[in-house]
Amino acid sequence: MSLSIYQASIPTFLRTLGNLSAILKKAAAHAEAKNIDPRIFIDDYGLDARLAPDMFPLARQVQIASDAAKGAGARLAGLEVPSYADTETTFDELQARIARTVEFLEGIREEQLDGAEERNVT
């Protein structure tokens, strides 16, 4: 039994985005549990936070994960890549971006990726 391009890509993107969403929910819940103003949490520790000086901030990393998933899915299916503005500044906005990306990927049918292994992607 062989693994299709769809099976190797779309479910993996969906699982990764689901995990990312869960991490963001935990961060937001932590802020709420500690009675921290979310704006302070985000400004001081969250969306602009980095574990190393050469890392992108959290918000940019979520945007990149979204862009990679929707871009790969669209290109493999021969579809136009949806464009999302990179303007998220809150956990809710990042969750909405993830949800839009998941909705797009869930709309890609397995048969749309048939023959993708032979398709030129530029």
Side-chain angles (χ1 to χ4, degrees), residues 5-22:
I5 295 292
Y6 180 91
Q7 293 165 329
S9 60
I10 302 301
T12 301
F13 296 141
L14 291 171
R15 187 172 42 257
T16 300
L17 291 168
N19 291 340
L20 185 55
S21 176

Side-chain angles (χ1 to χ4, degrees), residues 38-50:
R39 291 173 299 167
I40 293 171
F41 182 77
I42 290 168
D43 291 342
D44 290 348
Y45 304 106
L47 299 181
D48 290 327
R50 304 164 195 246

Side-chain angles (χ1 to χ4, degrees), residues 4-5 8-9 14 26 28 31 35 44 50 55-56 64 69 75 79-80 82 86-87 89 93-94 96 98 104 113 122:
S4 73
I5 295 292
S9 60
L14 291 171
K26 286 183 179 199
N35 200 25
D44 290 348
R50 304 164 195 246
M55 278 179 79
F56 285 120
I64 289 169
R75 289 179 181 99
L79 301 172
E80 185 75 24
D86 295 334
T87 57
T89 59
E93 290 173 352
L94 290 172
I98 291 170
F104 172 74
L113 273 65
T122 56

Side-chain angles (χ1 to χ4, degrees), residues 48-105:
D48 290 327
R50 304 164 195 246
L51 295 177
D54 61 347
M55 278 179 79
F56 285 120
L58 176 60
R60 184 70 189 123
Q61 291 186 46
V62 173
Q63 293 161 350
I64 289 169
S66 165
D67 289 346
K70 67 185 172 67
R75 289 179 181 99
L76 288 170
L79 301 172
E80 185 75 24
V81 179
S83 177
Y84 304 159
D86 295 334
T87 57
E88 295 84 11
T89 59
T90 67
F91 287 117
D92 286 343
E93 290 173 352
L94 290 172
Q95 290 287 9
R97 184 186 182 110
I98 291 170
R100 281 193 314 271
T101 306
V102 165
E103 182 179 0
F104 172 74
L105 292 171

